[in-house]
Amino acid sequence: MTDITSPSPAPAPAAAHRLAGLREVWFYFSHSRGAVVGLVVFVALVLVALLAPWIAPHDPVFQYRDAFLTPPVWQEGGDPRFLLGTDAIGRDILSRLMHGARYSLLIGAVVVSLSLVGGIILGLLAGYFRGWVDALIMRVMDIILAFPSLLLALVLVTVIGPGLFNAMLAIALVLQPHFARLTRAAVISETNREYVTSARLAGAGHVRLMFSTILPNCLAPLIVQATLSFSSAILDAAALGFLGLGAQPPIPEWGTMLADSREFITRAWWVITIPGIAILVTVLAINLIGDGLRDALDPKLKRS
Amino acid sequence: MLRFLLKRLALLIPTFIGVTIVAFFFIRILPGDPVQVLAGERGVSPERHAEVLRQLGFDLPLWQQYFNYLGDIFRGDFGTSFASKRPVIYEFFSRFPATVELSLCAIILATVLGVPAGIVAAVNRGKWIDQATMGTALVGYSMPIFWWGLLLIIFFSGYLHWTPVSGRIALSYYFKPVTGFMLIDSLLSGQKGAFLSALHYLILPTVVLATIPLAVIARQTRSAMLEVLGEDYVRTARAKGLPPRRVVALHALRNALIPVVTTIGLQVGVLMAGAILTETVFSWPGIGKWMIESVNKRDYFVVQSGLLLIALIIMTVNLIVDVLYAVINPRIRHQ
């Protein structure tokens, strides 16, 4: 009896097993060239974000009064002080990009954490208890999904006020139903398996069954969804910034940088082009990782 | 079929109620005094304050306010725009055709390019053409479309001077809107060059709005094709000695298209979100631009109704797609 009721299997084999699992995932992941490139770019971005205050050549909000709209160095009229040029009020674009990486990655991390935790809890409750709890939770999720995510985020921001943190809250709320749905579906398919029944017979309570018996076996699709949500969070936050409802100037958020410089579109291509490339490269890198993870975690699922 | 339709409609009722509750509470949880926020009257006497509250219907119990709101919706009364003083529903329908025209063109472009791209990638699985197509699709899928629009303006309008920057047709043409669709109205007007001008103005916004659906459709077509190409009946067709082209076009494609149709239908939500950004970038006078302007002008009744109407449109289109899906796939409706 002690074997069955002991809270977890012996720790050493479990750790070894987990390690072997990770190694297998890495084996498949590293086979996809795109996924590895994405990972390298992403790690580089994280490093830039972490080290921004030390490696950025200038203060991201300092205005050089002698250098408005300086083109990048390789173009005629460029200034070697400003590698990627300056914006309309003389701020160094490279430094703003480096600091902007902090905001974008922070947005992705916070939004994914919030929506992942919220979605997992709601999905577990719905899938585990079924009945009216399930119906209630899933109908609320349906309602959130009935609106285009950007529109709902926009309206939420109108209510709670523009700003970076409010934008993150709004985006987390609109991304959260995807996690709840995935968790619920996985929980329903797992709940009737033998190992869950045996844990229940061994006397495990609801919370334990939900979080430590069932949840670990539903993680694969959640990890893939988390990666994809990370990139849509960055895109949506940049879109809100672009519409003037996300991060407020002078915060060097990439979408806000684009909004600031829209009027110079015909005069200074670099103030528009460069922040957009940063957004595209970041989102692309994360999506490459997401595709690679999907193929590695579930070989049955092909790219879709 | 009728039973399927009724069951599908019944499923929509809770969502409809939920969507109206969201729109209803949006107005009521706005921070600040409703008299000031919604009626724009400041520093009024307590009597006037109470009167405005009564006009807004805010003095009633909440549940009664909600039922009044539902009643208004069913009568087609969506409130009055604060900025234009005209009924919101009138404002909505004067802008709606512009968004529909743009979205239809975008989804047609995305389908016409995306489905063949997906097929070519699937048939050449693992070869360079597959990798190139899917690589491009992933870039499209990752594209911040507001930036993509600005980039196309810089290149095609600013540098090459090929396309106009914003608007729907050159100012030199004027005719009364009949359908609201500029492409059709310009033809009906019979003015020389009007149709070409409208088309000219439509190209860049269409490309921008089509980008993400195009990528999604190409990826979905490829994976559906790959799935079908591995089925027994395809192998049988091949074994019979049918030419490969015929196997792909007749046996595989018809079955692969079923999930693709659903994907195309599900792009409506993506299109509406994309329209907000695309219309803002190109000053396209549609629903998306109107919503942003209303948010900025704090025209809250417009935002409320826009939110509700857009959700209802998406629900309707999804219902139509579901029904179409059941028509082409009998397995669904007999479940």
Side-chain angles (χ1 to χ4, degrees), chain B residues 91-155:
Chain B
E91 298 268 301
F92 181 87
F93 280 109
S94 70
R95 288 170 173 82
F96 191 50
T99 300
V100 174
E101 181 173 43
L102 179 59
S103 306
L104 274 179
C105 290
I107 201 72
I108 290 170
L109 181 70
T111 310
V112 165
L113 294 180
V115 172
I119 296 171
V120 168
V123 172
N124 297 290
R125 183 181 192 182
K127 292 184 193 148
W128 69 269
I129 192 163
D130 177 26
Q131 285 168 353
T133 318
M134 286 304 109
T136 315
L138 195 68
V139 173
Y141 183 68
S142 310
M143 190 65 85
I145 59 166
F146 45 98
W147 173 71
W148 179 224
L150 294 175
L151 210 62
L152 292 179
I153 292 178
I154 293 179
F155 190 70

Side-chain angles (χ1 to χ4, degrees), chain A residues 170-298:
Chain A
I171 297 167
L173 186 80
V174 299
L175 289 179
Q176 179 270 116
H178 299 286
F179 292 100
R181 279 192 163 182
L182 273 178
T183 313
R184 173 180 175 271
V187 168
I188 288 174
S189 74
E190 293 290 321
T191 308
N192 293 322
R193 297 281 192 85
E194 286 88 352
Y195 72 91
V196 180
T197 316
S198 84
R200 184 179 295 133
L201 287 176
H206 287 317
V207 175
R208 177 171 194 90
L209 273 178
M210 278 194 278
F211 284 92
S212 59
T213 311
I214 299 177
L215 182 62
N217 295 295
C218 311
L219 282 182
L222 286 174
I223 292 172
V224 175
Q225 182 64 36
T227 320
L228 298 177
S229 297
F230 201 104
S231 56
S232 28
I234 292 177
L235 269 186
D236 281 355
L240 285 178
F242 176 73
L243 295 170
L245 296 162
Q248 298 297 303
I251 292 181
E253 196 272 324
W254 295 338
T256 312
M257 284 172 74
L258 279 176
D260 285 350
S261 34
R262 258 187 81 184
E263 50 193 297
F264 306 102
I265 178 169
T266 47
R267 272 201 286 152
W269 59 268
W270 59 93
V271 291
I272 295 284
T273 315
I274 292 171
I277 292 175
I279 304 175
L280 176 61
V281 168
T282 310
V283 173
L284 187 59
I286 298 167
N287 283 341
L288 280 169
I289 297 175
D291 274 6
L293 275 179
R294 170 163 40 197
D295 294 349
L297 287 171
D298 191 353

Side-chain angles (χ1 to χ4, degrees), chain A:
Chain A
M1 266 322 269
T2 43
D3 281 339
I4 302 171
T5 46
S6 71
S8 62
H17 182 72
R18 204 163 295 152
L19 210 66
L22 275 182
R23 201 171 293 140
E24 194 194 331
V25 169
W26 173 250
F27 175 78
Y28 285 110
F29 185 85
S30 59
H31 261 245
S32 153
R33 214 182 322 149
V36 173
V37 171
L39 189 65
V40 169
V41 172
F42 185 71
V43 170
L45 277 165
V46 172
L47 286 179
V48 167
L50 288 175
L51 301 175
W54 295 281
I55 58 174
H58 301 275
D59 181 337
V61 292
F62 187 81
Q63 306 175 5
Y64 289 88
R65 296 293 161 97
D66 57 334
F68 296 147
L69 289 177
T70 313
V73 272
W74 61 85
Q75 201 175 329
E76 206 187 318
D79 182 331
R81 281 185 301 164
F82 310 111
L83 279 179
L84 297 179
T86 60
D87 67 7
I89 49 177
R91 294 175 296 197
D92 178 43
I93 290 180
L94 179 61
S95 306
R96 288 179 71 69
L97 279 188
M98 288 177 161
H99 283 265
R102 312 188 107 192
Y103 289 98
S104 286
L105 295 178
L106 181 78
I107 290 164
V110 171
V111 167
V112 168
S113 314
L114 286 177
S115 50
L116 190 65
V117 171
I120 284 180
I121 292 175
L122 291 175
L124 274 175
L125 289 174
Y128 184 83
F129 289 112
R130 305 304 299 272
W132 66 269
V133 181
D134 184 22
L136 182 73
I137 292 176
M138 293 330 282
R139 285 301 82 72
V140 174
M141 298 301 115
D142 283 352
I143 292 160
I144 298 178
L145 288 174
F147 298 99
S149 62
L150 183 67
L151 179 66
L152 192 58
L154 195 93
V155 168
L156 283 170
V157 170
T158 349
V159 174
I160 54 182
L164 189 62
F165 182 71
N166 287 350
M168 289 197 279
L169 273 185
I171 297 167
L173 186 80
V174 299
L175 289 179
Q176 179 270 116
H178 299 286
F179 292 100
R181 279 192 163 182
L182 273 178
T183 313
R184 173 180 175 271
V187 168
I188 288 174
S189 74
E190 293 290 321
T191 308
N192 293 322
R193 297 281 192 85
E194 286 88 352
Y195 72 91
V196 180
T197 316
S198 84
R200 184 179 295 133
L201 287 176
H206 287 317
V207 175
R208 177 171 194 90
L209 273 178
M210 278 194 278
F211 284 92
S212 59
T213 311
I214 299 177
L215 182 62
N217 295 295
C218 311
L219 282 182
L222 286 174
I223 292 172
V224 175
Q225 182 64 36
T227 320
L228 298 177
S229 297
F230 201 104
S231 56
S232 28
I234 292 177
L235 269 186
D236 281 355
L240 285 178
F242 176 73
L243 295 170
L245 296 162
Q248 298 297 303
I251 292 181
E253 196 272 324
W254 295 338
T256 312
M257 284 172 74
L258 279 176
D260 285 350
S261 34
R262 258 187 81 184
E263 50 193 297
F264 306 102
I265 178 169
T266 47
R267 272 201 286 152
W269 59 268
W270 59 93
V271 291
I272 295 284
T273 315
I274 292 171
I277 292 175
I279 304 175
L280 176 61
V281 168
T282 310
V283 173
L284 187 59
I286 298 167
N287 283 341
L288 280 169
I289 297 175
D291 274 6
L293 275 179
R294 170 163 40 197
D295 294 349
L297 287 171
D298 191 353
K300 278 175 294 178
L301 281 175
K302 290 174 211 97
R303 282 163 168 236
S304 60

